[in-house]
Amino acid sequence: MNILITGGTGYIGSHTVVELIKVGHNVIIVDNLCNSDIKVLDKIEIITNIRPIFYSFDIKYSTLLDDLFTKHKIDAVIHFAALKSVGESVTMPLEYYENNISGSIILFEIMKKHNVKKIVFSSSATVYGDPATIPITEDFPLQTTNPYGFSKLVIEQLLRDIYNSDKSWSIALLRYFNPVGAHQSCLIGENPNGIPNNLMPYIAQVASGKRDFLTVFGSDYNTHDGTGVRDYIHVVDLAIGHIQALKYFETHGCELITVNLGTGVGYSVLDVVNAYQKASGQTINYRLAPRRHGDIAICYANPTLANKLLGFKTQFGIEQMCLDSWNFQKNL
Ligand code: NAD
Ligand code: UDP
């Protein structure tokens, strides 16, 4: 299939591109490089021996997007392009709504115009807010507290409404838990600009000596060691989930599915610190600090539906996630 990947030079997008090429799909990427580097294309080429077709523009440029759909016969779209920092979304809500929601509307309009009705969308566990119980199943109430989360909720709703108006669409809403790790080649991974917001990239920089210590946000949660618990999922496992979603449509036709992509296992901040120390052989200095505003105590998926519908089963545990993150960090 010819698959258009929006945000394909980004962290999850680049790993998904590699897996798509591996199983024989033709990949066309559109990315405005606002949070990724064009050198990722060289890395993808080294890993796969194939250089994907690449367009560098913002998906909000409808004319350029229209031209792209005219030039290539697109069979399906995987839509990663978005701004993704929760904290930044609180200070720049308009930019987040404009980029994530307006960008998506333009993409969906152009898809409709060209009769391309197959899409896999990057949603997030953030749409569950602070769940009443765990593990989280897909039918839990949706709620969120920040513009980033709202943008995901709105786009999910847009896609549900599109499907309700025209049942010839095939739509997968994939709700990711906490993607971490890197490709085993050490060539692609997560390398945020500035101070990392997320736990594992921060730990990686402490391990490499770039930062002195990790600040552990909260040690008084009702968890086994008082620190926050999350469902970390290896980015390659996550990438494979997208290929399985596309395959699902081949066998099941037009449907809208909503699926959690997580492992079903929760690790605390200190569990991750310990696993990273073991994987890297480095000491991770940390300091306990008050809770970070907006954080919840525990979040992990019930991955049963993903397994049942997509055959999704994660292969990599926390040790491999830390090891691959470390090998990528050392290779930077
Ligand atoms: P990323 O920032 O590494 O990748 C996103 C890519 O989209 C970047 O390369 C960026 O340059 C591009 N982009 C952004 N806006 C664009 C626009 N208007 N036009 C064209 N390109 C644009 O992020 P990621 O971690 O790979 O996340 C991919 C998707 O998964 C995002 O939608 C994100 O919200 C979602 N998600 C990520 C996580 C996570 O923890 N990484 C968790 C849940 C959901
Ligand atoms: N965290 C931390 N220090 C950091 C970054 C994160 O203690 O520098 C904690 C955070 O409070 C949460 C967990 O690590 O309990 C995962 O946070 P992350 O930002 O990676 O993902 P989130 O689940 O918040 O999207």
Side-chain angles (χ1 to χ4, degrees), residues 24-93:
H25 292 296
N26 296 319
V27 172
I28 297 123
I29 296 175
V30 57
D31 198 303
N32 66 358
L33 302 173
C34 70
N35 196 38
S36 55
D37 192 326
I38 191 145
K39 289 195 197 99
V40 165
L41 293 174
D42 300 335
K43 311 285 171 63
I44 291 172
E45 189 175 359
I46 296 170
I47 297 169
T48 63
N49 284 321
I50 288 175
R51 192 173 186 85
I53 299 167
F54 177 67
Y55 291 91
S56 171
F57 64 80
D58 192 309
I59 56 165
K60 292 195 293 306
Y61 289 117
S62 57
T63 316
L64 294 177
L65 203 56
D66 196 9
D67 290 347
L68 186 158
F69 274 80
T70 305
K71 192 159 170 207
H72 302 278
K73 201 211 143 303
I74 303 292
D75 298 301
V77 175
I78 305 182
H79 180 30
F80 293 104
L83 299 175
K84 64 163 181 175
S85 160
V86 169
E88 193 180 62
S89 78
V90 174
T91 56
M92 300 166 51

Side-chain angles (χ1 to χ4, degrees), residues 178 197-199 202 214-217 228 230 232 269 292 295:
N178 288 55
N197 292 308
N198 296 114
L199 180 66
Y202 202 106
L214 168 75
T215 304
V216 176
F217 298 131
R230 296 289 182 277
Y232 298 94
V269 174
R292 183 170 67 177
D295 272 359

Side-chain angles (χ1 to χ4, degrees), residues 34-297:
C34 70
N35 196 38
S36 55
D37 192 326
I38 191 145
K39 289 195 197 99
V40 165
L41 293 174
D42 300 335
K43 311 285 171 63
I44 291 172
E45 189 175 359
I46 296 170
I47 297 169
T48 63
N49 284 321
I50 288 175
R51 192 173 186 85
I53 299 167
F54 177 67
Y55 291 91
S56 171
F57 64 80
D58 192 309
I59 56 165
K60 292 195 293 306
Y61 289 117
S62 57
T63 316
L64 294 177
L65 203 56
D66 196 9
D67 290 347
L68 186 158
F69 274 80
T70 305
K71 192 159 170 207
H72 302 278
K73 201 211 143 303
I74 303 292
D75 298 301
V77 175
I78 305 182
H79 180 30
F80 293 104
L83 299 175
K84 64 163 181 175
S85 160
V86 169
E88 193 180 62
S89 78
V90 174
T91 56
M92 300 166 51
L94 281 176
E95 285 83 350
Y96 269 68
Y97 288 129
E98 167 75 3
N99 192 74
N100 295 1
I101 298 176
S102 304
S104 296
I105 291 174
I106 288 164
L107 172 68
F108 304 156
E109 278 170 352
I110 304 282
M111 286 178 68
K112 187 177 167 200
K113 178 175 169 193
H114 290 267
N115 207 29
V116 178
K117 295 184 173 178
K118 215 173 271 172
I119 182 164
V120 179
F121 171 61
S122 299
S123 190
S124 166
T126 193
V127 299
Y128 297 115
D130 193 354
T133 57
I134 33 147
I136 299 171
T137 49
E138 289 79 358
D139 56 357
F140 270 33
L142 303 179
Q143 41 169 317
T144 187
T145 52
N146 58 76
Y148 168 72
F150 271 112
S151 75
K152 292 293 173 193
L153 275 183
V154 170
I155 300 162
E156 279 202 1
Q157 190 57 43
L158 268 166
L159 286 167
R160 279 190 288 271
D161 290 340
I162 289 172
Y163 182 74
N164 288 336
S165 73
D166 177 357
K167 297 272 181 348
S168 65
W169 282 71
S170 302
I171 300 175
L173 310 178
L174 303 185
R175 295 180 178 154
Y176 311 157
F177 281 66
N178 288 55
V180 294
H183 192 261
Q184 279 174 7
S185 62
C186 317
L187 292 173
I188 52 174
E190 190 174 20
N191 183 24
N193 296 326
I195 303 171
N197 292 308
N198 296 114
L199 180 66
M200 197 162 295
Y202 202 106
I203 292 180
Q205 294 195 1
V206 176
S208 72
K210 194 168 170 189
R211 308 207 177 265
D212 293 336
F213 62 90
L214 168 75
T215 304
V216 176
F217 298 131
S219 53
D220 58 349
Y221 286 112
N222 187 16
T223 61
H224 64 274
D225 60 15
T227 66
V229 167
R230 296 289 182 277
D231 185 339
Y232 298 94
I233 174 168
H234 196 293
V235 64
V236 173
D237 277 329
L238 188 67
I240 291 168
H242 295 73
I243 280 99
Q244 292 174 330
L246 288 174
K247 239 195 206 141
Y248 179 86
F249 293 138
E250 274 171 37
T251 46
H252 291 76
C254 306
E255 230 180 274
L256 183 145
I257 57 170
T258 307
V259 174
N260 286 339
L261 291 183
T263 64
V265 180
Y267 289 103
S268 73
V269 174
L270 294 183
D271 291 336
V272 179
V273 167
N274 289 332
Y276 213 99
Q277 290 193 136
K278 243 188 223 160
S280 65
Q282 308 295 309
T283 301
I284 312 294
N285 293 316
Y286 66 84
R287 292 184 192 166
L288 302 180
R291 297 177 180 192
R292 183 170 67 177
H293 180 71
D295 272 359
I296 57 174

